[in-house]
Amino acid sequence: MHLIQENKCHGGYWRRYQHDSETCGCPMTFSVFVPAAAEQGKCATLFWLSGLTCTDQNFVQKADVESAAAEYGFIVVAPDTSPRNVGLDGEDLSYDFGSGAGFYVDATEAPWRANYRMYSYVTEELYSLVADNLPMDPERTGVFGHSMGGHGALTIALKQPEKFRSVSALAPICAPMSCPWGKKALAGYLGTNQEDWKAYDSVALIESGSKVSGILVDQGDKDEFLAEQLNPELLKAACAEKGIPLTLNYRAGYDHSYFFIKTFIRDHVKHHHKMLNDVNR
């Protein structure tokens, strides 16, 4: 981990690191908010997954998460959304596939499979890097995200609930197998066999028996992508059928932007604080 930037904020620090990733086969950059509470011992930790076109810096500079993270004593980890500049044909041709659009899957199709392994990067390499170098409490670790990152957060929690013990999302892509963004990404990274896609579709995972102890989702009702891409009602139906507690809030007048995220980010930090400190779970 090579520290490339540090800024004091709300008594803690935003730190930006770069490291050589074995998983992605290239240098990867991520940001971490470390609260003042970390001076006293291990902290609950949240992994934030950003959406299409984002780097780690969009969330750092726009979300205003650090005030709540400082109050509740959370470390917050914000990785990049894909490998960068790995020299693949087509990696920079579109906003919804390739650079900035890793979709938090482990690609199996050439040429993407050598580098585009964001699922393993987040859940294994980055997780271990943070656990080994920062005062992260592995018993109190959650995941949340926005849009493509909301999809990533939901699937990661459903697949690894023992590691990521709380989950929430803002305007997530709830059923990528059922929307244009998801179909393009899953076909490109995983191939045309849709049975393989189910491993990275929240609704399919729930239908197959994956469970978490509770989900919080906030969705703006003026979101320009709501009707075509996000499908929260499919997630609601799947959770209802399988008995997974879901709080789905439709927020009047809000769109898909970081103005929406920064308005409700504190609610999500509070949700994770409650879930990760519930001794009855």
Side-chain angles (χ1 to χ4, degrees), residues 34-91:
V34 181
E39 298 174 5
Q40 309 302 318
K42 290 187 176 182
C43 292
T45 300
L46 297 177
F47 285 75
W48 168 267
L49 307 182
S50 290
L52 290 168
T53 75
C54 291
T55 69
D56 60 300
Q57 288 293 283
N58 299 75
F59 183 70
V60 173
Q61 296 175 6
K62 296 179 180 180
D64 194 28
V65 72
E66 55 274 349
S67 61
E71 178 180 344
Y72 290 99
F74 274 105
I75 293 171
V76 181
V77 184
D80 203 349
T81 56
S82 77
R84 302 281 175 173
N85 304 312
V86 291
L88 301 181
D89 288 341
E91 67 180 330

Side-chain angles (χ1 to χ4, degrees), residues 108-217:
T108 57
E109 292 294 293
W112 312 100
R113 63 189 176 210
N115 307 101
Y116 278 69
R117 305 182 64 238
M118 290 300 294
Y119 177 83
S120 289
Y121 174 71
V122 171
T123 63
E124 302 295 338
E125 185 175 20
L126 181 61
Y127 182 96
S128 296
L129 198 64
V130 173
D132 291 345
N133 291 279
L134 294 169
M136 166 183 145
D137 182 353
E139 298 299 317
R140 293 186 296 146
T141 301
V143 60
F144 62 155
H146 170 240
S147 194
M148 176 186 71
H151 139 75
L154 292 170
T155 56
I156 284 171
L158 286 162
K159 288 157 73 76
Q160 298 199 43
E162 73 290 344
K163 182 178 282 189
F164 297 92
R165 298 182 62 245
S166 62
V167 60
S168 71
L170 295 108
I173 303 171
C174 294
M177 293 178 66
S178 302
C179 74
W181 280 341
K183 290 176 181 178
K184 178 178 180 178
L186 296 176
Y189 294 132
L190 305 177
T192 57
N193 184 353
Q194 295 192 15
E195 286 298 309
D196 296 333
W197 300 4
K198 292 180 179 180
Y200 297 104
D201 183 288
S202 299
V203 171
L205 286 167
I206 292 169
E207 290 175 345
S208 69
S210 296
K211 287 186 176 294
V212 293
S213 51
I215 301 172
L216 170 64
V217 171

Side-chain angles (χ1 to χ4, degrees), residues 222-234:
K222 299 300 183 184
D223 190 318
E224 59 270 40
F225 303 113
L226 175 56
E228 186 178 20
Q229 303 283 9
L230 304 181
N231 294 310
E233 292 301 316
L234 295 181

